[in-house]
Amino acid sequence: MTSGSFKGVRPLVEPIVTSTAYEFESFEHCRATYAAEIDSYGYSRVANPTIDHLEEKVSYLLSGRKCVGFSSGMAAINALLFAVCNRESNILVSGELYGGTLALIDEYRRFGIELRFADLRNLGETEEKIDEKTALLFAEPVSNPTMRTFDVQQVSKLCHQRQVLFVLDTTNNVLDFDANGLADIQVVSGTKVLGGHGTALAGFLVFCRNPMSLEKFDSNSSFAFLEDPCAELGGKSPSEMGERPDALYYYIRAKIRRNTGACLSPFNAHSIDIGLNTLPIRLRHVNQTASAIKDLIENHRGAKRLHTVERTKEWPLVARYFHERPGGVFSFEVLGGESGVAGFLDNLQHIPIATNIGDSRTIIQHVRTTSHSQLSPEQMRKYGIPRDLLRISVGLEEQNLLVNDISNALDLLAGKYYV
């Protein structure tokens, strides 16, 4: 989509539409727009051509039905929880989630919503914690930062049997992991791998194809609100706007995003759009480089343990969903505890200490003092986050530069602790 006239030609790069409001052709055009009778633009908190273009592109790339963009990945998660939860709901999650996600979901306890944890590798335990008030099951196909996984297909079957929304945060493994036919909704942070340049925040809810659980409101009273008239949809109910599985999409797009103001900036949308053009090439390079770095760490005496999904016992169960590409984010432990962590990080010459993933630059961080610092010491122990755990996100630098930098820092560490 573009706005304005380009004299019969179309620009190769989608223009940035920065206008907050749009001039209507007539009173009737304005009325029909706000009554949701026609697909038109009225105000950029509701819809914007640059953002619409990116949503369509992300949906196509991930083979989704629909997509809604937000100001960040956390805003996308919050919009979903805000839409599907009520005072009687419970949320079932894997404890092995990004620390910020756990902190956000924990906030919902204040509104009377119960938070339940399950080890998704134990299917019996997971099923026991599902009841008629379970709003959704939220997980990452690869846990951040411990890099553990589970039999995604079996958990998906369980959710569909029990009519529970199955939501996967695939931020760490976009394009490396195929959620279609498994999840109902994908959460993706555009800030990370999709953009690939670390210059813009964005987040997306991608509504997957064949979303069996999104039919649940037919028989589940907790989704009865999708049958209610919605003023933001011109008095129609979300279920009247399109196919049945799309009702939640229309509710979140027209009501939740609009009324909470968690909309994506057109500048950020444009930046993410440009990054998407190189995504497949970037992922190939990252996977190749990550493999070389993993081999180094696994065999170096300065490192204690490597955490990466393809080294887990569950990998044979899930490799087919990852296209046998485990991704460029993984973690490892070093000698010497927190003192060893400080020594290793301070001896790196080319890799910055920072808190992001999916950047064009390789980034490393100490997990306990950064992304998961919101967790209590008890939670750290419970979810397997040791004091000396480092997470690395591999970027686009020349492979030997990265391998040598890490090797030299590990050599210095090993020299200190091995006499």
Side-chain angles (χ1 to χ4, degrees), residues 205-361:
L205 293 179
V206 180
F207 292 76
C208 300
R209 296 193 182 279
N210 305 316
M212 295 169 62
S213 295
L214 284 174
E215 301 282 3
K216 68 178 286 187
F217 63 83
D218 286 339
S219 57
N220 190 316
S221 60
S222 65
F223 275 65
F225 66 90
L226 295 176
E227 301 286 354
D228 295 336
C230 179
E232 293 83 356
L233 294 172
K236 296 180 182 178
S237 71
S239 62
E240 294 179 278
M241 294 300 296
E243 295 183 46
R244 268 239 186 267
D246 296 330
L248 185 58
Y249 157 80
Y250 286 109
Y251 184 83
I252 290 175
R253 180 182 175 88
K255 193 175 185 72
I256 303 300
R257 185 178 69 176
R258 170 180 178 159
N259 293 341
T260 61
C263 47
L264 177 58
S265 157
F267 290 99
N268 287 13
H270 183 262
S271 184
I272 302 297
D273 184 25
I274 292 173
L276 282 176
N277 294 333
T278 60
L279 180 57
I281 296 172
R282 287 190 281 112
L283 289 178
R284 283 198 296 270
H285 178 89
V286 164
N287 273 282
Q288 291 171 358
T289 302
S291 180
I293 295 174
K294 291 172 186 176
D295 288 342
L296 164 69
I297 292 172
E298 192 169 38
N299 295 292
H300 199 291
R301 63 178 187 164
K304 287 168 51 181
R305 184 181 178 189
L306 174 68
H307 299 265
T308 181
V309 64
E310 70 271 29
R311 266 70 165 185
T312 64
K313 64 181 181 181
E314 293 87 11
W315 180 244
L317 297 173
V318 299
R320 61 189 181 278
Y321 304 119
F322 286 83
H323 310 297
E324 299 187 357
R325 299 194 306 263
V329 178
F330 57 95
S331 58
F332 60 100
E333 301 166 45
V334 295
L335 294 176
E338 289 190 359
S339 175
V341 165
F344 173 80
L345 293 177
D346 291 344
N347 283 319
L348 291 170
Q349 299 299 308
H350 300 287
I351 301 174
I353 306 169
T355 54
N356 193 21
I357 61 173
D359 201 308
S360 59
R361 294 151 295 191

Side-chain angles (χ1 to χ4, degrees), residues 5 10 27 31 57 66 92 104 121 162 204 229 239 243 269 279 328 331 334 343 348 373 380 392 405:
S5 172
R10 180 181 177 85
F27 165 78
R31 186 204 64 78
K57 195 168 181 177
K66 303 282 186 180
L92 183 59
L104 170 63
R121 285 171 292 277
R162 299 296 299 271
F204 302 94
S239 62
E243 295 183 46
L279 180 57
S331 58
V334 295
L348 291 170
S373 59
M380 298 278 194
I392 186 169
D405 198 23

Side-chain angles (χ1 to χ4, degrees), residues 99-157:
T101 304
L102 286 172
L104 170 63
I105 295 176
D106 190 64
E107 282 295 306
Y108 276 75
R109 293 180 191 265
R110 295 196 298 118
F111 307 109
I113 295 166
E114 183 185 359
L115 179 57
R116 298 177 179 178
F117 292 95
D119 179 356
L120 302 186
R121 285 171 292 277
N122 185 333
L123 206 62
E125 174 193 323
T126 303
E127 184 168 17
E128 286 178 2
K129 295 192 175 183
I130 294 175
D131 60 29
E132 69 279 0
K133 296 180 181 179
T134 303
L136 55 83
L137 190 158
F138 191 104
E140 297 173 5
V142 178
S143 62
N144 178 0
T146 53
M147 301 296 124
R148 300 185 68 187
T149 187
F150 56 93
D151 192 331
V152 183
Q153 186 177 48
Q154 289 303 311
V155 173
S156 174
K157 286 181 178 178

Side-chain angles (χ1 to χ4, degrees), residues 64-82:
R65 296 173 63 91
K66 303 282 186 180
C67 175
V68 189
F70 295 87
S71 54
S72 69
M74 298 304 295
I77 296 171
N78 188 57
L80 177 61
L81 296 177
F82 193 58

Side-chain angles (χ1 to χ4, degrees), residues 7-22:
K7 297 183 179 179
V9 298
R10 180 181 177 85
L12 288 175
V13 177
E14 193 71 16
I16 308 176
V17 179
T18 62
S19 181
T20 57
Y22 304 84

